[in-house]
Amino acid sequence: CAQPCLGLTAVLASGEVVRTGGRARKSSAGYDLTRLLVGSEGTLAVLTEVQLKLYPLPAAVSAATCSFPTLSDAARAVAGLLQCGVPVSRSELLDASAIAAFNKYSTEVADLQEAPTLFLEVEGVSEAAVEAAAAVARECCADSGGGEFQWATSESERRRLWAARHATYYASLALRPGSRGVVTDAVVPLSRLAEVMGETAADVARAGVVGPIFGHAGDGNFHCILLLRDEDPPDYVERLSQLNDRLIRRTLAAGGSCTGEHGVGVGKKQYLAREFGEGAVEMMRTVKRSL
């Protein structure tokens, strides 16, 4: 993510050392080379130094989980939270199969209901501010069919909860022993998140494959972990490939991007022209050739 980067020191292919940005909070001088280099995925230069913003720790924090009848309901709740201005610092969404994997894998957190579940973290300048924000969050989630909040208020409880959430990839592998995970990556406008995640979950079910879905719901970014064994027949491999292709096309049709954080790489080069148009892709090539 380029936003926390104030400046860079980079080495070009020619060996020339360049510096971009600076410690000032804002600048309108020249092209925004910092964001260009950060977004280039290492194809324009080697970054050797990075100047980063520092953020203060919040005075009060509380985390919670809330389950929903459907994945679309949970995604709609996220949009409602942000529209209401709830100070959510983290919001993660797991579908029922991801929660099932979570329960089997995690030993430090009590089992959760096997239903689409939202993980939230709310922060504020005081405990009273967090309590007020939490009350609004409960109402927003209830409007979308959410159940009771399960709170984790102490730092140790929050750390255990988020550590278990961050192990979702490894937990998902246990749903189909002997598999490796092919992690998809898509991002859509928040207004389309419920629709696209719901359609993706239905597509996984129709394809007859194992593909838990989870996402960083606060920014519209979500992933589907497609589980693949080396000995899987060609038909199964093809179903996974077609599922991923439909996911990307569905995302682009909704005004999203083929990758929210993992980058383009080899697998998604073919979708760049569909997302930006041939003119923009040729512009990228021209920049690359010039350096």
Side-chain angles (χ1 to χ4, degrees):
C1 180
Q3 286 78 0
C5 295
L6 295 172
L8 303 169
T9 301
V11 181
L12 305 181
S14 64
E16 182 179 2
V17 177
V18 297
R19 292 177 176 81
T20 73
R23 296 181 63 188
R25 293 180 66 88
K26 60 190 295 187
S27 173
S28 295
Y31 294 164
D32 191 346
L33 297 178
T34 300
R35 288 177 63 86
L36 174 65
L37 292 178
V38 170
S40 71
E41 300 182 32
T43 61
L44 299 181
V46 175
L47 307 185
T48 58
E49 295 179 2
V50 181
Q51 294 176 335
L52 299 174
K53 293 180 183 178
L54 295 180
Y55 293 89
L57 292 174
V61 183
S62 188
T65 60
C66 179
S67 61
F68 292 82
T70 70
L71 194 60
S72 295
D73 291 332
R76 273 191 292 271
V78 174
L81 288 167
L82 298 180
Q83 289 167 357
C84 289
V86 178
V88 176
S89 55
R90 285 195 274 189
S91 58
E92 302 280 318
L93 177 55
L94 281 68
D95 74 353
S97 60
I99 290 297
F102 177 96
N103 287 341
K104 292 178 181 178
Y105 188 84
S106 173
T107 58
E108 295 188 352
V109 178
D111 283 359
L112 300 173
Q113 179 183 348
E114 291 189 9
T117 301
L118 193 59
F119 288 59
L120 294 173
E121 192 165 85
V122 179
E123 62 183 36
V125 296
S126 66
E127 295 290 348
V130 169
E131 289 175 6
V136 177
R138 278 194 295 268
E139 292 182 16
C140 288
C141 290
D143 287 343
S144 295
E148 290 294 320
F149 273 38
Q150 303 296 319
W151 290 99
T153 53
S154 72
E155 183 177 355
S156 60
E157 288 176 323
R158 292 198 312 274
R159 285 184 181 277
R160 285 197 298 270
L161 181 66
W162 288 112
R165 152 61 191 90
H166 292 147
T168 300
Y169 172 81
Y170 300 102
S172 296
L173 297 182
L175 293 175
R176 197 165 183 258
S179 296
R180 55 185 172 87
V182 179
V183 184
T184 68
D185 173 40
V187 60
V188 296
L190 275 176
S191 60
R192 303 293 298 275
L193 181 63
E195 170 193 347
V196 174
M197 288 190 77
E199 290 177 355
T200 300
D203 200 7
V204 170
R206 284 192 301 269
V209 300
V210 181
I213 297 173
F214 69 97
H216 321 302
D219 55 13
N221 188 200
F222 70 96
H223 311 284
C224 180
I225 304 178
L226 303 175
L227 300 180
L228 176 66
R229 295 188 183 117
D230 291 339
E231 64 271 20
D232 279 331
D235 171 68
Y236 189 88
V237 177
E238 180 62 20
R239 275 184 282 158
L240 292 184
S241 176
Q242 291 299 319
L243 179 66
N244 182 49
D245 180 71
R246 289 192 298 272
L247 168 58
I248 296 172
R249 292 176 185 274
R250 184 182 304 118
T251 296
L252 296 180
S257 174
C258 66
T259 176
E261 57 188 13
H262 294 174
V264 175
V266 174
K268 293 187 175 178
K269 287 174 61 176
Q270 60 180 310
Y271 299 105
L272 276 182
R274 180 181 291 270
E275 181 170 341
F276 295 116
E278 287 291 350
V281 173
E282 183 56 34
M283 184 178 178
M284 296 179 201
R285 294 191 183 107
T286 301
V287 172
K288 177 69 171 68
R289 286 193 294 264
S290 71
L291 295 175

